[in-house]
Amino acid sequence: MIDVENLTRKFGDITAVDKLTFHIGEGEVFGFLGPNGAGKTTTMRMLSCLISKTSGKARIAGYDVSDETDSLKIRKIIGLLPENNGLYDDLTAYKNLDFYGKLYECSKTQRKENIEYFLKLLGLWDKRDVLAGTFSKGMKQKLAIARSLIHEPEILFLDEPTANLDPESSKTVRDFIIDLKKEKKTIFLNTHNLDEAQRICDKIGIFNTKLMVIGSPEELEDSILEKKTAIQLKEVNDKILKALGNLSLRNLTIDNNKLIIDVVNPENENPIIVDAIVSAGGKVQYMTQINSTLEDVYLKFVRGKK
Amino acid sequence: MKLWKSWVIATKDFSTFREKKNTIYPLIVLPLLFSIGLPILIGRIGNVIEGIGNLIKVIGLPILITGSSSNDITVLLNSFSFFYIMFAFILPSTLASYSILGEKIEKSLEPLLATPITDTELLLGKIITSFLPCVAIIYFSAVIFMVLSDAVTYNTIGYLFFPNWNMAIILLLAVPLVSILSIQLNVIISSRVSDVRTTTQLGLLLFLPFIGLYIFLETSIISLNIINLLGIFVILFVVVAVIFSISKAIIQRDKIITKRG
Ligand SMILES: Nc1ncnc2c1ncn2[C@@H]1O[C@H](COP(=O)(O)OP(=O)(O)O)[C@@H](O)[C@H]1O
Ligand SMILES: [Mg+2]
């Protein structure tokens, strides 16, 4: 559905997007995860035919984003929720949607039905004749989402849909996106929110100017070889620390008598560590294996860049 | 090209104008003041002919007031007619720059440009947006001007001065063309700069050629006859058509979206 190869965009000397390559299949929900300034918005704008690329290739549903006739076809089948909602404050909620419905060449009945459907779904139907300018941030975002769906696009581009929203509205928006997933829409979601990416997406790309890693949330978590063992002791003393010191552990932190140790191969290393602690007179209360989280993966790649 | 899409954009803009009455009202006031005020001035010409002469000297219009007063009156009426070309240049500029800057301020250009709309459709939409209200106001006030002028001058000059060919060409050819040109120029400027003040200043700069033309006309270097008016019309038409044909270069999507601040 979305095929990108070595996609690059420069602003003067700044490279905002560097040789980006990935593939997103039909019906997939892709989380494009990266910190502020990573180049997420720039990428989305190139894919939605708003700005030109410096080099590389990008195809949406087989159409070339840089071809003029293709770009009209692409724009017909995609929906875009930009970073700023871009609603017309002086138009009512209904008129905002109707205007876009017309530009997307929807029939009169299709507009009528879809506007009613989405406004009801998002709890804005009662406010349909109210000027959008009077809406709260959360309501505006919902209205902008409805706008991006008015023509029933196959592919949806969402640029940080929950940024700057209160928790309540964030949840509504997030649940709504999860519902869209059931309709088998292909969704490209920009976010800097790990939790959001993990909860919503089938596939995640960690991106900071360059694509660091891409895969399902589980694949990413497993991609970090380092695992951690946590051992809660009754008490940590010098004797135990000395014994552990002899094991030349890779990374040891102690918090509240809880040891957290990086291990590569827990099956082999854990017994040795426990033996050492017990021999030194330590009392193990419990121990657990800490699997790496998406956060670890994210931080590793995003920090690793510097 | 789907013309109806331009119309969709224009009607959307009309709805937002309705909510922004203070952008529209000043537009109506200026031509109306002129159209009512000038005939009143002319009506009193017998008594205040000297006063007008002074007034004209003060505002720098090099009209030579000589001969009989009915001659003076026709000269005046003719040069006042030319004001409607200037209105056609001034009036749309606020609306045209607002119609682009407004979209920029609301950050609505991004979702708008993401729809399947071509640059020509968008530009034409924005032209209609500013063109229709301005030309309507100009025609409306020109009718008032002509009726009032006829009413106050009939006794002195002995015939109805308006309607006449000069005014017909001005209203039917020059006014629409000059409006479109003004809109195009303002769209070009406002899609490149982001604050209203710069736009207005640049817009005024563009007005200079018209002042120049006016002075030429008044000093009789060029006279305001039908042939010359038609010549000006042809030049304008070519300029407008050329600008329209390069609408892709005017609506530079990449620049509009990525321009910061
Ligand atoms: N219009 C622009 N002009 C110059 N630099 C830009 C422009 N847009 C983005 N950039 C730069 O490109 C980089 C990526 O920006 P952006 O795509 O907005 O990141 P993100 O959406 O991930 O926060 C940043 O360093 C930003 O400063
Ligand atoms: Mg961004």
Side-chain angles (χ1 to χ4, degrees):
Chain A
M1 214 54 183
I2 305 178
D3 290 285
V4 173
E5 202 184 317
N6 286 323
L7 187 66
T8 301
R9 170 72 199 217
K10 294 183 178 162
F11 292 105
D13 297 337
I14 305 169
T15 303
V17 176
D18 192 13
K19 299 202 184 77
L20 179 58
T21 300
F22 63 79
H23 166 81
I24 300 169
E26 194 173 338
E28 257 184 327
V29 178
F30 177 64
F32 202 43
L33 184 64
N36 288 331
K40 304 184 294 295
T41 299
T42 305
T43 305
M44 194 170 274
R45 284 173 171 168
M46 287 191 282
L47 295 181
S48 47
C49 310
L50 284 170
I51 63 172
S52 55
K53 54 187 167 58
T54 306
S55 60
K57 281 186 202 144
R59 288 186 164 272
I60 308 282
Y63 299 120
D64 183 350
V65 294
S66 49
D67 181 276
E68 214 174 311
T69 13
D70 276 9
S71 106
L72 274 175
K73 290 179 187 145
I74 292 173
R75 283 186 265 142
K76 232 175 247 182
I77 57 162
I78 65 170
L80 171 71
L81 175 76
E83 215 162 15
N84 304 100
N85 59 58
L87 295 164
Y88 295 108
D89 282 353
D90 296 328
L91 294 186
T92 64
Y94 195 98
K95 278 195 171 173
N96 263 288
L97 298 186
D98 199 43
F99 172 62
Y100 277 90
K102 284 177 188 162
L103 290 185
Y104 279 112
E105 304 176 14
C106 304
S107 71
K108 202 170 174 176
T109 31
Q110 192 189 9
R111 289 199 312 266
K112 205 165 162 262
E113 284 170 10
N114 285 353
I115 293 174
E116 181 168 346
Y117 174 75
F118 286 115
L119 285 184
K120 281 188 172 158
L121 202 60
L122 290 160
L124 293 171
W125 180 244
D126 293 341
K127 304 255 185 211
R128 62 187 178 278
D129 293 325
V130 175
L131 294 186
T134 65
F135 279 16
S136 72
K137 241 181 195 158
M139 287 157 75
K140 281 188 175 173
Q141 190 71 336
K142 286 183 213 164
L143 184 56
I145 290 177
R147 182 189 61 198
S148 68
L149 288 163
I150 199 72
H151 55 301
E152 302 168 42
E154 293 168 37
I155 306 171
L156 197 57
F157 287 96
L158 305 171
D159 198 351
E160 312 226 13
T162 62
N164 306 317
L165 293 190
D166 61 85
E168 172 71 27
S169 315
S170 294
K171 186 170 157 31
T172 321
V173 168
R174 213 168 279 152
D175 290 347
F176 186 72
I177 300 171
I178 293 171
D179 282 345
L180 287 176
K181 231 168 125 163
K182 293 180 199 136
E183 293 179 25
K184 295 267 170 280
K185 288 210 190 295
T186 309
I187 301 178
F188 188 106
L189 173 84
N190 277 358
T191 182
H192 62 242
N193 186 323
L194 283 161
D195 190 47
E196 182 168 292
Q198 193 155 24
R199 269 200 257 176
I200 301 178
C201 303
D202 309 317
K203 195 189 238 180
I204 292 175
I206 295 178
F207 174 73
N208 198 0
T209 310
K210 291 171 190 285
L211 187 64
M212 303 297 177
V213 60
I214 187 167
S216 70
E218 298 74 32
E219 282 166 358
L220 294 190
E221 282 171 357
D222 291 343
S223 73
I224 287 200
L225 290 176
E226 257 160 44
K227 304 206 163 53
K228 287 182 166 66
T229 298
I231 307 171
Q232 180 71 54
L233 298 184
K234 192 162 181 238
E235 192 194 5
V236 177
N237 57 35
D238 288 348
K239 203 169 161 199
I240 297 171
L241 288 179
K242 190 156 172 266
L244 288 172
N246 290 337
L247 296 177
S248 64
L249 299 168
R250 291 141 48 86
N251 193 2
L252 167 69
T253 55
I254 304 167
D255 175 28
N256 243 336
N257 293 327
K258 187 188 208 170
L259 310 177
I260 297 172
I261 303 159
D262 284 3
V263 290
V264 175
N265 190 339
E267 290 79 9
N268 295 340
E269 292 175 50
N270 283 350
I272 299 171
I273 295 169
V274 173
D275 265 354
I277 293 171
V278 172
S279 316
K283 292 206 163 31
V284 176
Q285 292 179 321
Y286 67 82
M287 67 183 287
T288 50
Q289 185 69 42
I290 305 174
N291 285 323
S292 57
T293 61
L294 192 58
E295 187 175 7
D296 298 319
V297 186
Y298 179 76
L299 292 176
K300 180 183 153 192
F301 283 110
V302 170
R303 284 193 185 140
K305 189 197 169 200
K306 291 178 186 150
Chain B
M1 166 137 158
K2 293 170 176 153
L3 283 174
W4 60 268
K5 284 196 182 173
S6 309
W7 183 245
V8 167
I9 289 177
T11 47
K12 185 273 292 173
D13 283 341
F14 295 149
S15 309
T16 59
F17 285 165
R18 225 167 284 151
E19 297 297 324
K20 289 250 185 302
K21 298 209 168 57
N22 48 352
T23 34
I24 286 273
Y25 284 162
L27 292 181
I28 306 178
V29 173
L30 180 72
L32 277 187
L33 276 181
F34 259 76
S35 305
I36 298 171
L38 290 180
I40 292 176
L41 210 63
I42 295 168
R44 304 183 51 130
I45 202 153
N47 323 335
V48 293
I49 189 101
E50 222 164 302
I52 293 175
N54 288 337
L55 178 76
I56 284 166
K57 267 180 220 134
V58 170
I59 58 177
L61 303 181
I63 294 177
L64 304 166
I65 299 183
T66 50
S68 74
S69 80
S70 81
N71 210 344
D72 293 340
I73 288 171
T74 56
V75 169
L76 268 181
L77 287 176
N78 254 335
S79 68
F80 287 159
S81 305
F82 187 80
F83 283 2
Y84 289 86
I85 298 183
M86 293 208 225
F87 287 142
F89 197 82
I90 304 168
L91 291 195
S93 76
T94 324
L95 280 188
S97 46
Y98 179 80
S99 76
I100 296 285
L101 289 180
E103 301 262 8
K104 275 191 172 180
I105 291 163
E106 304 216 69
K107 305 209 188 318
S108 46
L109 278 170
E110 195 166 348
L112 183 61
L113 290 175
T115 66
I117 184 177
T118 64
D119 302 301
T120 318
E121 287 158 359
L122 179 58
L123 182 66
L124 185 65
K126 290 301 178 186
I127 289 176
I128 298 172
T129 294
S130 318
F131 180 83
L132 287 186
C134 290
V135 169
I137 294 166
I138 290 173
Y139 282 4
F140 178 68
S141 50
V143 168
I144 294 181
F145 171 69
M146 291 191 286
V147 171
L148 288 183
S149 299
D150 280 345
V152 299
T153 59
Y154 184 71
N155 282 339
T156 322
I157 61 178
Y159 63 99
L160 293 177
F161 187 77
F162 292 116
N164 60 25
W165 279 110
N166 266 1
M167 197 57 168
I169 291 174
I170 286 176
L171 289 182
L172 299 178
L173 297 181
V175 164
L177 274 179
V178 171
S179 308
I180 295 175
L181 179 65
S182 165
I183 295 164
Q184 287 176 327
L185 295 175
N186 278 284
V187 168
I188 296 176
I189 296 171
S190 54
S191 55
R192 276 164 184 69
V193 301
S194 23
D195 75 305
V196 185
R197 213 184 312 143
T198 327
T199 320
T200 324
Q201 283 163 355
L202 285 171
L204 282 178
L205 214 62
L206 293 170
F207 187 55
L208 286 177
F210 282 87
I211 305 277
L213 181 62
Y214 183 73
I215 290 172
F216 277 152
L217 286 170
E218 291 304 338
T219 51
S220 307
I221 293 176
I222 307 173
S223 64
L224 192 67
N225 59 30
I226 292 174
I227 305 290
N228 283 342
L229 275 175
L230 284 176
I232 295 170
F233 161 75
V234 169
I235 294 171
L236 279 174
F237 184 82
V238 170
V239 173
V240 164
V242 166
I243 296 182
F244 192 74
S245 72
I246 53 162
S247 45
K248 203 171 147 38
I250 294 174
I251 313 262
Q252 287 179 312
R253 289 170 180 257
D254 203 291
K255 286 233 174 66
I256 288 182
I257 297 286
T258 60
K259 181 119 193 156
R260 296 192 145 177

